[in-house]
Amino acid sequence: MINKEKTVLVTGADGFIGSHLTEALLADGYRVRALAQYNSFNYWGWLDDVRHPNLEIISGDVRDGDFCRELTRGCGTVFHLAALIAIPYSYVAPDSYVDTNIRGTLNMCQAARDAAVDRIIVTSTSEVYGTALSVPIPETHPRQPQSPYSATKIGADAIASSFHNAFDLPVVIARPFNTYGPRQSARAIIPTIISQIAAGQRQIKVGDLTPTRDFNYVADTCRGFIALASAEGIEGRDINIATGTEVSMEQTLHTIARIMNADVEWITDPARLRPSKSEVRRLCGDNSLITSLTTWRPAHSLEDGLRKTVDWFVRPENLAKYKTDIYNR
């Protein structure tokens, strides 16, 4: 179990999944040190409105090794989520992905080793598998980098594994499949559709609707992270956090339209299409390993999760945070 006597560190805590994980840990009674990416506006992302006596927010950057060592000092469990994650932007600025995703993970592993942490959970992505060669996708599936983003995450996973093999660093690589929910960036398919409909648009701009995804509601993903931080004897393993089901983008969007009672049409926006060889056609994760090692099970059906996500996005104060007329690459 996570030691409640020690501080828990979450990097990338200002982001979508990181902010939900931070809140879940606080709700469970942990002291949390949360890393928000440094900026001169003192902006903490999705943590801006979170106040809790057990929460310490620090601004900084995982690309700086000295900073990472100071950040990690005194922590027992580390959840490393800080990363550049937008696939389309990785086509434009791949060097920044190498710096943040690979070097940032290297810095955090070195810092965790120096601090003698109890465990570091390094966040991977289902994108490392590329288009499924077989389903459901097990952790042994070949890695197929189909974007600069996925290539850097493969590299980051390898760095983390090397620190376990070379230095016995207590690493677990958590590999969440397609997480969605409140606060997700509008670059992703579910929030971009919901936000356009919520803004009153009737011609909804989309990319390719034929790929399938294994969608996991964000609260379930966070519970998966916490389960992997608590399980005994799993150091050095890669572990999927997946539902074991798949649904096409088109099916998902029809479900969203039905939930929102919206009469809309879909328009393919060329700017939202990946290069043909880069599109991951099929993702469906095998969750037999995590369910055998922990008590974790996905608690939300896609319908339940989408309803909660819609309820959040349609609130005016939340929708106002999104520029629904601009594609968020």
Side-chain angles (χ1 to χ4, degrees):
M1 296 295 291
I2 310 175
N3 188 342
K4 286 195 173 183
E5 299 302 313
K6 298 181 181 179
T7 297
V8 175
L9 171 62
V10 180
T11 72
D14 50 343
F16 163 47
I17 300 176
S19 63
H20 284 278
L21 177 59
T22 296
E23 290 182 322
L25 289 164
L26 291 170
D28 284 352
Y30 296 103
R31 295 196 314 271
V32 180
R33 181 176 299 163
L35 173 64
Q37 186 175 27
Y38 173 80
N39 60 84
S40 60
F41 305 104
N42 206 21
Y43 175 57
W44 294 337
W46 290 114
L47 293 181
D48 247 6
D49 297 325
V50 179
R51 299 291 182 271
H52 195 285
N54 287 339
L55 175 62
E56 175 191 14
I57 300 176
I58 295 177
S59 295
D61 197 315
V62 295
R63 293 176 297 178
D64 189 289
D66 290 335
F67 168 79
C68 290
R69 281 188 287 274
E70 288 301 316
L71 176 73
T72 310
R73 194 184 307 276
C75 294
T77 301
V78 176
F79 294 93
H80 176 47
L81 284 78
L84 287 177
I85 62 171
I87 294 168
Y89 188 57
S90 76
Y91 305 134
V92 178
D95 192 59
S96 62
Y97 283 68
V98 172
D99 274 354
T100 300
N101 297 351
I102 297 180
R103 183 169 295 281
T105 299
L106 170 63
N107 289 339
M108 286 305 304
C109 286
Q110 289 177 324
R113 182 187 178 207
D114 290 346
V117 302
D118 299 323
R119 182 170 292 175
I120 176 171
I121 309 295
V122 172
T123 307
S124 182
T125 170
S126 57
E127 287 281 329
V128 304
Y129 295 128
T131 297
L133 302 177
S134 62
V135 294
I137 301 171
E139 289 81 359
T140 55
H141 187 284
R143 281 26 171 187
Q144 303 180 103
Q146 290 181 227
S147 65
Y149 162 69
S150 63
T152 62
K153 294 299 282 186
I154 291 171
D157 292 352
I159 288 290
S161 294
S162 76
F163 266 71
H164 175 72
N165 294 332
F167 308 119
D168 288 323
L169 184 69
V171 171
V172 176
I173 297 175
R175 186 162 294 120
F177 277 63
N178 305 92
T179 303
Y180 70 97
R183 306 176 194 157
Q184 187 175 17
S185 165
R187 62 169 181 78
I189 187 69
I190 288 176
T192 198
I193 296 303
I194 294 174
S195 60
Q196 287 181 76
I197 294 176
Q201 299 175 30
R202 289 297 170 259
Q203 291 187 325
I204 307 302
K205 295 178 180 179
V206 295
D208 191 345
L209 296 183
T210 59
T212 67
R213 294 293 184 263
D214 186 331
F215 287 117
N216 208 357
Y217 186 63
V218 64
D220 291 335
T221 296
C222 292
R223 285 295 156 196
F225 273 103
I226 294 171
L228 293 181
S230 303
E232 298 292 337
I234 63 171
E235 290 81 2
R237 307 191 76 166
D238 296 33
I239 303 175
N240 292 338
I241 304 176
T243 69
T245 60
E246 62 182 319
V247 60
S248 72
M249 302 289 197
E250 183 175 10
Q251 291 172 288
T252 303
L253 303 187
H254 283 302
T255 302
I256 292 170
R258 174 175 53 78
I259 290 172
M260 299 184 73
N261 194 27
D263 181 15
V264 294
E265 61 176 314
W266 318 117
I267 298 175
T268 300
D269 178 2
R272 300 169 191 257
L273 297 173
R274 299 191 196 185
S276 59
K277 292 182 180 180
S278 184
E279 180 61 78
V280 174
R281 309 302 314 176
R282 189 178 186 189
L283 286 175
C284 177
D286 184 347
N287 66 9
S288 58
L289 185 55
I290 190 172
T291 56
S292 68
L293 295 172
T294 74
T295 60
W296 180 86
R297 303 292 185 276
H300 294 79
S301 68
L302 180 59
E303 177 97 9
D304 292 340
L306 286 175
R307 288 189 179 278
K308 289 185 176 182
T309 305
V310 168
D311 287 346
W312 185 88
F313 270 92
V314 298
R315 297 174 197 163
E317 66 274 19
N318 295 331
L319 186 61
K321 295 180 172 69
Y322 290 81
K323 301 177 178 70
T324 58
D325 58 333
I326 300 175
Y327 174 48
N328 185 1
R329 185 172 62 189

